Short mmCIF file of all heavy atoms in Angstrom, two decimals:
data_model
loop_
_atom_site.label_atom_id
_atom_site.label_comp_id
_atom_site.label_asym_id
_atom_site.label_seq_id
_atom_site.Cartn_x
_atom_site.Cartn_y
_atom_site.Cartn_z
N ASN A 15 94.07 72.48 136.23
CA ASN A 15 94.67 72.12 137.50
C ASN A 15 93.56 71.81 138.50
O ASN A 15 92.82 72.75 138.90
CB ASN A 15 95.53 73.31 138.00
CG ASN A 15 96.44 72.88 139.07
OD1 ASN A 15 96.63 71.67 139.30
ND2 ASN A 15 96.97 73.86 139.80
N GLU A 23 86.80 71.49 157.49
CA GLU A 23 86.86 71.58 158.96
C GLU A 23 85.87 72.58 159.53
O GLU A 23 85.50 72.49 160.70
CB GLU A 23 88.31 71.94 159.39
CG GLU A 23 89.21 70.76 159.12
CD GLU A 23 90.64 71.01 159.44
OE1 GLU A 23 91.32 71.68 158.64
OE2 GLU A 23 91.09 70.53 160.48
N CYS A 39 79.57 59.57 133.83
CA CYS A 39 78.31 59.54 134.51
C CYS A 39 77.30 58.81 133.67
O CYS A 39 77.11 59.15 132.49
CB CYS A 39 77.81 60.96 134.75
SG CYS A 39 76.07 61.08 135.28
N ASP A 48 78.59 70.31 133.56
CA ASP A 48 79.76 69.96 132.75
C ASP A 48 80.89 69.36 133.56
O ASP A 48 82.00 69.34 133.11
CB ASP A 48 80.20 71.14 131.85
CG ASP A 48 80.79 72.24 132.70
OD1 ASP A 48 80.83 72.17 133.94
OD2 ASP A 48 81.25 73.26 132.08
N ASN A 53 85.50 63.01 133.58
CA ASN A 53 85.32 61.56 133.45
C ASN A 53 86.38 61.03 132.47
O ASN A 53 86.94 61.79 131.69
CB ASN A 53 83.92 61.24 132.90
CG ASN A 53 82.80 61.59 133.88
OD1 ASN A 53 81.72 61.83 133.46
ND2 ASN A 53 83.11 61.58 135.14
N THR A 72 94.35 60.99 155.94
CA THR A 72 95.04 60.70 157.18
C THR A 72 94.06 59.96 158.16
O THR A 72 94.49 59.27 159.07
CB THR A 72 95.46 61.97 157.86
OG1 THR A 72 94.33 62.74 158.29
CG2 THR A 72 96.32 62.83 157.00
N LYS A 76 88.19 61.14 161.10
CA LYS A 76 87.36 59.89 161.22
C LYS A 76 86.25 59.81 160.15
O LYS A 76 85.44 58.88 160.18
CB LYS A 76 86.73 59.79 162.61
CG LYS A 76 87.73 59.73 163.72
CD LYS A 76 88.54 58.49 163.66
CE LYS A 76 89.72 58.46 164.65
NZ LYS A 76 90.81 57.62 164.20
N SER A 83 82.96 62.89 139.49
CA SER A 83 82.01 63.65 138.67
C SER A 83 80.95 62.69 138.12
O SER A 83 80.85 62.44 136.95
CB SER A 83 82.80 64.33 137.55
OG SER A 83 83.75 65.20 138.16
N CYS A 86 79.09 57.18 142.81
CA CYS A 86 80.14 56.30 143.28
C CYS A 86 80.20 54.96 142.56
O CYS A 86 81.26 54.34 142.49
CB CYS A 86 79.97 56.07 144.80
SG CYS A 86 78.38 55.41 145.27
N THR A 100 92.19 52.24 152.25
CA THR A 100 92.52 53.55 152.85
C THR A 100 91.71 53.72 154.16
O THR A 100 92.21 54.11 155.21
CB THR A 100 92.18 54.69 151.90
OG1 THR A 100 92.99 54.50 150.70
CG2 THR A 100 92.49 56.05 152.51
N GLU A 123 74.83 47.62 148.10
CA GLU A 123 76.02 46.92 147.60
C GLU A 123 77.28 47.63 148.17
O GLU A 123 78.24 46.95 148.52
CB GLU A 123 76.03 47.03 146.07
CG GLU A 123 75.04 46.20 145.34
CD GLU A 123 75.11 46.47 143.85
OE1 GLU A 123 76.19 46.82 143.29
OE2 GLU A 123 74.03 46.36 143.20
N ILE A 133 76.75 57.51 154.42
CA ILE A 133 75.67 58.45 154.11
C ILE A 133 75.65 58.74 152.61
O ILE A 133 76.69 59.20 152.10
CB ILE A 133 75.88 59.76 154.94
CG1 ILE A 133 75.66 59.48 156.42
CG2 ILE A 133 74.92 60.86 154.44
CD1 ILE A 133 76.00 60.61 157.37
N ILE A 135 74.38 60.72 149.39
CA ILE A 135 73.93 62.04 149.06
C ILE A 135 73.44 61.99 147.64
O ILE A 135 74.11 61.37 146.72
CB ILE A 135 75.14 63.02 149.09
CG1 ILE A 135 75.83 62.96 150.47
CG2 ILE A 135 74.70 64.46 148.77
CD1 ILE A 135 77.21 63.56 150.47
N ILE A 155 62.43 61.03 139.16
CA ILE A 155 60.95 61.07 139.38
C ILE A 155 60.65 60.23 140.61
O ILE A 155 61.14 59.09 140.70
CB ILE A 155 60.24 60.41 138.14
CG1 ILE A 155 60.44 61.35 136.95
CG2 ILE A 155 58.71 60.27 138.43
CD1 ILE A 155 60.08 60.72 135.58
N TYR A 165 65.99 56.29 150.80
CA TYR A 165 67.33 55.91 150.27
C TYR A 165 68.43 56.87 150.66
O TYR A 165 69.53 56.45 150.87
CB TYR A 165 67.26 55.85 148.76
CG TYR A 165 66.24 54.86 148.20
CD1 TYR A 165 64.96 55.33 147.75
CD2 TYR A 165 66.53 53.50 148.19
CE1 TYR A 165 64.08 54.42 147.30
CE2 TYR A 165 65.56 52.62 147.71
CZ TYR A 165 64.32 53.10 147.28
OH TYR A 165 63.42 52.22 146.82
N ASN A 200 74.45 74.41 146.90
CA ASN A 200 75.39 74.99 145.96
C ASN A 200 74.78 76.21 145.26
O ASN A 200 73.65 76.07 144.73
CB ASN A 200 75.68 73.97 144.82
CG ASN A 200 76.28 72.66 145.39
OD1 ASN A 200 77.43 72.57 145.66
ND2 ASN A 200 75.42 71.66 145.54
N SER A 206 80.04 75.93 131.09
CA SER A 206 79.93 75.91 129.63
C SER A 206 78.57 75.51 129.10
O SER A 206 78.40 75.43 127.89
CB SER A 206 80.99 74.93 129.10
OG SER A 206 80.75 73.62 129.61
N TRP A 225 71.21 82.86 157.70
CA TRP A 225 71.22 82.03 158.90
C TRP A 225 71.55 80.57 158.60
O TRP A 225 71.95 79.80 159.48
CB TRP A 225 69.83 82.10 159.57
CG TRP A 225 68.66 81.78 158.66
CD1 TRP A 225 67.98 82.65 157.89
CD2 TRP A 225 68.10 80.53 158.42
NE1 TRP A 225 66.97 82.00 157.19
CE2 TRP A 225 66.96 80.70 157.52
CE3 TRP A 225 68.26 79.22 158.94
CZ2 TRP A 225 66.19 79.63 157.07
CZ3 TRP A 225 67.51 78.19 158.51
CH2 TRP A 225 66.46 78.41 157.60
N ASP A 233 75.73 72.56 154.74
CA ASP A 233 76.96 73.08 154.15
C ASP A 233 76.60 73.93 152.98
O ASP A 233 75.81 73.47 152.10
CB ASP A 233 77.86 71.97 153.67
CG ASP A 233 78.56 71.19 154.80
OD1 ASP A 233 79.03 71.89 155.77
OD2 ASP A 233 78.60 69.97 154.74
N ASN A 238 81.82 76.68 143.52
CA ASN A 238 81.84 75.24 143.43
C ASN A 238 83.10 74.65 144.01
O ASN A 238 83.18 73.44 144.19
CB ASN A 238 81.63 74.80 141.97
CG ASN A 238 82.75 75.24 141.08
OD1 ASN A 238 83.17 76.44 141.14
ND2 ASN A 238 83.21 74.37 140.22
N PHE A 241 84.49 73.47 148.92
CA PHE A 241 84.92 72.35 149.72
C PHE A 241 86.43 72.13 149.61
O PHE A 241 86.98 71.31 150.31
CB PHE A 241 84.18 71.04 149.28
CG PHE A 241 82.83 70.85 149.92
CD1 PHE A 241 81.91 70.02 149.37
CD2 PHE A 241 82.52 71.44 151.18
CE1 PHE A 241 80.67 69.76 150.00
CE2 PHE A 241 81.30 71.19 151.79
CZ PHE A 241 80.40 70.37 151.18
N ALA A 246 88.31 75.96 139.25
CA ALA A 246 87.46 77.01 138.86
C ALA A 246 86.86 76.67 137.50
O ALA A 246 87.47 76.11 136.60
CB ALA A 246 88.30 78.29 138.76
N SER A 249 83.59 79.09 131.88
CA SER A 249 82.24 79.23 131.28
C SER A 249 82.33 79.59 129.82
O SER A 249 83.41 79.84 129.29
CB SER A 249 81.43 80.26 132.04
OG SER A 249 82.07 81.45 132.06
#
Side-chain angles (χ1 to χ4, degrees):
N15 196 15
E23 291 179 281
C39 166
D48 66 359
N53 295 153
T72 68
K76 301 293 172 208
S83 301
C86 56
T100 302
E123 289 175 30
I133 291 173
I135 306 163
I155 296 167
Y165 301 101
N200 301 280
S206 61
W225 54 271
D233 286 317
N238 63 316
F241 272 160
S249 56

